[in-house]
Amino acid sequence: MTATTRSSATLKYTLMRVGVFAGCFVVLYALVYFGLIPRGLGESNALWVLLLSIVVSAPLSFVLLRRQRDAMSEQIVEKVGHAKARLEANRTQEDGV
């Protein structure tokens, strides 16, 4: 597996996570704009929608992006395994000298 494939799983997951957040933000902002969800106090409306979007998008991302998260996790485990193997090979090489 090439380095670009490894990093693409992380990039794909991150972009999809940002997309879920952005979608939640747009939908929630529209709901607040039309009065279906209460507004924040004073000038805090954008902050209210931002915090609400974080709270709503987290469980949605957890459920909707499970496959991408698993693929990213597998690639990270593989990369850590290769790093451990190189470290062990360096350690045994030093012991042999």
Side-chain angles (χ1 to χ4, degrees), residues 49 72 74 79:
V49 175
M72 183 180 67
E74 287 174 9
K79 192 172 184 177

mmCIF file of all heavy atoms in Angstrom, residues 49 72 74 79:
data_model
loop_
_atom_site.group_PDB
_atom_site.id
_atom_site.type_symbol
_atom_site.label_atom_id
_atom_site.label_comp_id
_atom_site.label_asym_id
_atom_site.label_seq_id
_atom_site.Cartn_x
_atom_site.Cartn_y
_atom_site.Cartn_z
ATOM 1 N N VAL A 49 -25.610 28.235 17.300
ATOM 2 C CA VAL A 49 -25.741 27.294 16.175
ATOM 3 C C VAL A 49 -24.458 26.475 16.026
ATOM 4 O O VAL A 49 -24.518 25.273 15.762
ATOM 5 C CB VAL A 49 -26.094 28.039 14.874
ATOM 6 C CG1 VAL A 49 -26.108 27.098 13.690
ATOM 7 C CG2 VAL A 49 -27.438 28.739 15.008
ATOM 8 N N MET A 72 -9.453 3.922 8.155
ATOM 9 C CA MET A 72 -8.377 4.775 8.631
ATOM 10 C C MET A 72 -7.643 4.110 9.790
ATOM 11 O O MET A 72 -6.413 4.128 9.864
ATOM 12 C CB MET A 72 -8.935 6.132 9.067
ATOM 13 C CG MET A 72 -7.882 7.109 9.512
ATOM 14 S SD MET A 72 -8.546 8.700 10.027
ATOM 15 C CE MET A 72 -9.454 8.248 11.494
ATOM 16 N N GLU A 74 -7.345 0.884 10.423
ATOM 17 C CA GLU A 74 -6.531 -0.222 9.921
ATOM 18 C C GLU A 74 -5.217 0.284 9.346
ATOM 19 O O GLU A 74 -4.158 -0.321 9.573
ATOM 20 C CB GLU A 74 -7.294 -1.001 8.850
ATOM 21 C CG GLU A 74 -8.416 -1.842 9.390
ATOM 22 C CD GLU A 74 -9.233 -2.495 8.291
ATOM 23 O OE1 GLU A 74 -8.809 -2.425 7.107
ATOM 24 O OE2 GLU A 74 -10.285 -3.062 8.609
ATOM 25 N N LYS A 79 0.642 1.109 9.861
ATOM 26 C CA LYS A 79 1.789 2.021 9.881
ATOM 27 C C LYS A 79 2.560 1.904 11.201
ATOM 28 O O LYS A 79 3.794 1.891 11.204
ATOM 29 C CB LYS A 79 1.309 3.449 9.668
ATOM 30 C CG LYS A 79 2.408 4.423 9.399
ATOM 31 C CD LYS A 79 1.841 5.773 8.998
ATOM 32 C CE LYS A 79 2.947 6.728 8.641
ATOM 33 N NZ LYS A 79 2.435 8.017 8.193
#
